[in-house]
Amino acid sequence: MAFAAFSAGTTAPEAAPRRKSPIALLLLLPGILYLVLFFLAPLVSLLLTSFQAPSGFGDVGQYGYAFRWENYVEVIAAYWPHIMRSFGYALIATILALVFSYPLAYFIGVKARNWPLLQSLLLVLVIAPFFISFLLRTLAWKQLLSDESFVITSLKALSLLAPDAHFTGTPFAVIFGLTYNFIPFMTLPLYTTLERLDLRFLEAGSDLYAHPFDVFRKITIPLSMPGIVAGTLLTFIPAAGDYINASRDFLGGPDTQMIGNVIEANFLVLQNYPAAAALSIILMSVILVIVSVYVKRAGTEELL
Amino acid sequence: MKPRPLPADPMIAQLVRQARATTMGRRTLLAGAGGGAAALALAACSTGGAAKPTAAPDKSDSSKLVRWDNWALYIDVDDAGGYPTLDAFTAETGIKVEYTEAVDDNNTYYGKVKDQLALGQDIGADTVCLTDWMVGRWIRFGYTQELDHANIPNLKNLLPSLKDVGFDPGRTMSVPWQGGFAGICWNKEKLPNGLASVEDLWSPDLKGRVGVLSEMRDTMGLIMSDMGVDIAGDWGDDEFFAAIDVLEKQVSDGQVRNIKGNAYKEDLINEDTLAAIVWSGDIVQLNAENGDKWEFVVPDKGGTLWNDNFLVPIGAPHKANVEKLIDYYYDPAVAAEVAAYVNYITPVAGAKESAMAIDPELANNQLIFPDDATLAKARVFRTLTGAEEQKYDAAFQGILLGS
């Protein structure tokens, strides 16, 4: 189960009550109703929309219920570069976020253990960006990284950047934005597992003359695997569907458009609802497959 | 599994085909019975077929109210946040106006209200100002109510050039609110020599510093005009796709930095773009707020002229009140007051003379009160059919989304 990775506790599940209690069912009812109303119904609606065909008078946005599976073939043929790009960008951003977050989480969760005040302060700093809207922060980066900004002109003055190069509207800017925006989602789960890391295992490893690198590779990493899995999932899934960073109004340009932007354009501008719905279903399915394979490979069930 | 060849007998062949179709359907139908039931439920509340909705009964006599959805910064505002001309209208007629800046984009606004429109329901607005082509779509679909010109005597002040438009002959369904040009602008500090045509945007020293609008009719209209096409006239696929090729090349070569809607202003301010295809009113405002840094021209080969128009949604119950409101704003003195604030082109004849009394400099601003020479350069993008709109929008979005 993918979501097992998110649960922090290691306790065994309670034995299920043998008798079906009406109260238990009653307590479940609001949750089930909520899921049916706000998850299942929209999902069915989305699925049905994705098979719609243009209706009679062929004007903008006129579609009727049908079973037009060609919608899927057409959107894949038209937009496969965007689908590939989305998962490519999301993968790179996830790896970068992991590389930046792991040392940070390790420092907060392990090295700073003896200074609770410092630990709390650092955690607040990790969460602090959430106090400002995601959109505002991304727009701020767009200004900071514009052609005539201090950052870019300095890099050009130092010849680290070609004189006619620019940053906004490039794939670098989009991946930068994705990494930046999702780093806290990587850091926090990593922190929660590293914070529980039993240092006696590391000591035992060193006592047995293991090289520090081997201790890290064979003890620390496996023990922090639940955090890595949770963090990568929390980063990869939203990053793959993100359409803010790659949007032309934010950090992207015409050649950095991701699947989210394609869905947005098809839905809002072209009023091509079947294409937008088919792309959404494809996005969900691909993510579901990737995540199941990943969780199975990572073998988190045994770890938890 | 490869299907076997069909039997020769046409009747049996037909039966086999039918049988295959049903098994295929059963095998691939993902939603199953539950999905089917949901489909019926959804179909019941979906937009149905071609049946056009009917207009709501007018309650204007008993309910003195107009709910007006409009774009941001599109009416005069005083320091206290009130709307002086609207307040005057209420004082004069006793009709209360609920003014909402609800329109941010033609497409997103349409997306929000289209299902209610199709059912003939009240969308929560008695009038809304939308751009020509979107108004054309509403009229095509029967989503608007016919205006009674007898209730709008001041309509005689409508500029003659706007009286007959392709999407609404005789202006029976829509009346212009404000309009503007799309043209080219450049940063005067960085480009002291200026630009004269769209062609100049493609000069090598502007590589990566050019912006174009994500509004298909404006960007394509300027490029097509530059190629010598009369965009108001009779052109077709050949002309359009020749212009698409030009844009596609400039985007893929990196000459065009970005393609944006309203957000293009930020790029001009932070100088990511030094020259761009833009809307006239924005440049007047940008110059007022950020120092007189930009110059705007309508290229000699042609720019586009667009209008945002009042219309009455099909389910709106206050049509007569809306007509009174339109009549009020077609008084030249009121129109001049609005024009002085919003910096767009007013469609009301005589407003220039009234503006002369308020502020002569304003009255001579070509972007607000254009003279005949400026107006002659700007053309209205011709009305597209539904099929053309779909085809051209798809081609244009293809460039915006890259590959």
Side-chain angles (χ1 to χ4, degrees):
Chain A
M1 271 299 289
F3 299 101
F6 301 125
S7 69
T10 50
T11 48
E14 299 276 321
R18 278 180 211 100
R19 203 161 44 85
K20 273 187 188 156
S21 148
I23 295 177
L25 284 176
L26 210 64
L27 287 173
L28 272 175
L29 202 63
I32 289 171
L33 270 179
Y34 182 89
L35 277 180
V36 168
L37 212 60
F38 296 109
F39 178 71
L40 206 59
L43 192 67
V44 171
S45 164
L46 191 69
L47 199 64
L48 292 172
T49 307
S50 73
F51 288 111
Q52 281 184 343
S55 70
F57 59 114
D59 208 323
V60 180
Q62 303 296 310
Y63 296 92
Y65 287 105
F67 185 71
R68 193 173 184 280
W69 53 269
E70 292 95 327
N71 288 341
Y72 283 85
V73 181
E74 285 165 10
V75 295
I76 291 175
Y79 299 119
W80 66 267
H82 304 83
I83 299 173
M84 302 300 288
R85 183 181 297 140
S86 298
F87 290 108
Y89 284 3
L91 184 70
I92 299 172
T94 306
I95 293 169
L96 285 176
L98 182 64
V99 168
F100 288 122
S101 289
Y102 203 94
L104 180 66
Y106 192 84
F107 182 80
I108 304 174
V110 179
K111 296 287 174 192
R113 256 183 218 181
N114 298 330
W115 300 281
L117 193 66
L118 178 69
Q119 209 175 17
S120 321
L121 189 72
L122 288 170
L123 275 179
V124 168
L125 285 180
V126 171
I127 302 167
F130 286 122
F131 295 148
I132 305 168
S133 153
F134 167 59
L135 297 178
L136 281 181
R137 281 182 283 130
T138 313
L139 271 182
W141 276 115
K142 179 179 162 300
Q143 297 297 324
L144 288 172
L145 299 170
S146 68
D147 283 15
E148 305 293 327
S149 67
F150 175 72
V151 180
I152 300 296
T153 46
S154 311
L155 286 174
K156 283 181 182 170
L158 293 169
S159 296
L160 290 172
L161 217 57
D164 60 344
H166 42 72
F167 191 74
T168 54
T170 63
F172 299 105
V174 177
I175 293 170
F176 167 85
L178 288 172
T179 311
Y180 161 78
N181 277 312
F182 290 109
I183 269 188
F185 296 95
M186 182 67 91
T187 310
L188 293 175
L190 279 176
Y191 161 77
T192 52
T193 45
L194 286 170
E195 203 256 335
R196 287 185 282 125
L197 180 70
D198 192 338
L199 296 181
R200 287 171 302 182
F201 288 128
L202 309 189
E203 283 163 21
S206 312
D207 287 349
L208 294 168
Y209 295 100
H211 188 269
F213 179 73
D214 288 325
V215 174
F216 179 72
R217 193 168 60 92
K218 293 193 170 156
I219 302 173
T220 315
I221 293 243
L223 283 178
S224 58
M225 211 53 198
I228 296 177
V229 172
T232 45
L233 289 179
L234 282 176
T235 308
F236 182 81
I237 297 173
D242 184 83
Y243 68 101
I244 297 298
N245 289 289
S247 156
R248 289 184 310 274
D249 286 347
F250 289 84
L251 296 169
D255 40 323
T256 65
Q257 300 295 292
M258 292 167 67
I259 189 166
N261 306 97
V262 177
I263 294 173
E264 187 197 19
N266 270 291
F267 197 89
L268 287 178
V269 183
L270 298 173
Q271 324 276 347
N272 189 346
Y273 309 118
L279 280 166
S280 308
I281 297 279
I282 291 171
L283 176 67
M284 277 196 279
S285 321
V286 175
I287 286 179
L288 204 65
V289 170
I290 291 179
V291 167
S292 331
V293 171
Y294 174 65
V295 171
K296 197 140 188 99
R297 277 290 173 84
T300 36
E301 279 103 325
E302 291 104 76
L303 283 168
L304 285 170
Chain B
M1 188 180 80
K2 206 169 169 254
R4 277 184 301 171
L6 291 171
D9 186 329
M11 205 165 180
I12 299 174
Q14 179 60 30
L15 283 171
V16 172
R17 250 184 250 121
Q18 270 179 12
R20 272 186 194 162
T22 51
T23 51
M24 270 302 281
R26 209 182 303 138
R27 203 188 306 150
T28 34
L29 193 67
L30 290 148
L40 287 176
L42 284 166
C45 58
S46 82
T47 57
K52 289 192 174 175
T54 48
D58 198 336
K59 293 189 294 190
S60 293
D61 288 337
S62 54
S63 163
K64 295 283 176 204
L65 175 73
V66 171
R67 296 160 301 163
W68 180 6
D69 280 2
N70 206 350
W71 302 68
L73 303 179
Y74 219 25
I75 196 169
D76 52 320
V77 182
D78 61 20
D79 293 337
Y83 307 110
T85 54
L86 281 181
D87 294 343
F89 171 73
T90 306
E92 191 181 308
T93 60
I95 297 169
K96 203 169 151 283
V97 184
E98 279 176 18
Y99 183 83
T100 319
E101 293 185 348
V103 188
D104 177 48
D105 177 281
N106 283 300
N107 281 312
T108 39
Y109 188 84
Y110 175 70
K112 265 185 250 170
V113 300
K114 67 177 179 63
D115 291 337
Q116 286 159 293
L117 285 172
L119 295 170
Q121 291 173 353
D122 183 8
I123 61 166
D126 299 309
T127 185
V128 49
C129 293
L130 297 171
T131 309
D132 297 327
W133 57 271
M134 182 55 85
V135 172
R137 185 186 292 176
W138 285 46
I139 294 173
R140 260 189 349 251
F141 289 170
Y143 291 171
T144 54
Q145 297 188 37
E146 191 168 341
L147 298 168
D148 185 354
H149 285 193
N151 292 338
I152 319 175
N154 280 335
L155 201 59
K156 64 177 189 296
N157 296 328
L158 175 63
L159 288 176
S161 58
L162 295 171
K163 272 191 177 141
D164 249 324
V165 284
F167 61 86
D168 185 12
R171 286 283 178 191
T172 54
M173 300 285 191
S174 67
V175 173
W177 163 241
Q178 303 284 313
F181 297 121
I184 52 176
C185 100
W186 63 92
N187 186 318
K188 284 190 282 193
E189 291 165 13
K190 297 282 159 99
L191 303 171
N193 294 330
L195 308 174
S197 69
V198 172
E199 187 71 34
D200 291 346
L201 291 173
W202 316 142
S203 101
D205 47 321
L206 279 173
K207 188 173 160 72
R209 306 300 284 271
V210 176
V212 300
L213 292 170
S214 58
E215 188 72 53
M216 187 264 280
R217 284 164 182 78
D218 291 324
T219 294
M220 296 310 293
L222 266 109
I223 296 175
M224 285 165 72
S225 298
D226 195 53
M227 298 169 82
V229 178
D230 175 8
I231 53 168
D234 194 24
W235 51 266
D237 286 3
D238 292 347
E239 289 85 357
F240 184 85
F241 286 102
I244 279 280
D245 289 343
V246 170
L247 180 63
E248 187 161 31
K249 179 178 182 304
Q250 300 301 342
V251 171
S252 60
D253 287 356
Q255 179 77 18
V256 170
R257 171 63 162 274
N258 222 329
I259 309 170
K260 295 192 179 189
N262 280 314
Y264 78 87
K265 286 177 265 183
E266 295 155 21
D267 284 9
L268 284 173
I269 295 169
N270 68 27
E271 298 185 0
D272 270 4
T273 57
L274 300 177
I277 293 178
V278 298
W279 289 306
S280 56
D282 288 336
I283 303 305
V284 177
Q285 284 183 359
L286 272 185
N287 276 332
E289 287 160 16
N290 297 280
D292 194 23
K293 250 171 95 174
W294 295 275
E295 179 90 32
F296 174 91
V297 296
V298 177
D300 285 337
K301 284 191 169 174
T304 60
L305 174 65
W306 48 264
N307 276 283
D308 288 327
N309 310 273
F310 285 107
L311 55 78
V312 180
I314 193 74
H318 301 107
K319 183 168 82 90
N321 291 345
V322 174
E323 287 161 349
K324 283 207 182 86
L325 182 81
I326 296 173
D327 189 54
Y328 169 75
Y329 276 106
Y330 267 73
D331 179 339
V334 180
E337 210 174 320
V338 175
Y341 184 86
V342 300
N343 300 326
Y344 280 98
I345 305 170
T346 177
V348 181
K352 183 172 182 172
E353 289 69 29
S354 300
M356 210 51 126
I358 308 177
D359 179 358
E361 197 189 328
L362 177 89
N364 287 318
N365 188 331
Q366 284 301 306
L367 302 182
I368 303 173
F369 296 105
D371 57 22
D372 291 343
T374 313
L375 273 176
K377 285 195 281 184
R379 309 287 289 162
V380 177
F381 201 85
R382 85 165 163 85
T383 307
L384 303 176
T385 65
E388 282 175 327
E389 188 166 295
Q390 272 181 310
K391 185 167 52 181
Y392 296 158
D393 271 341
F396 188 67
Q397 284 300 316
I399 295 178
L400 266 62
L401 291 170
S403 57

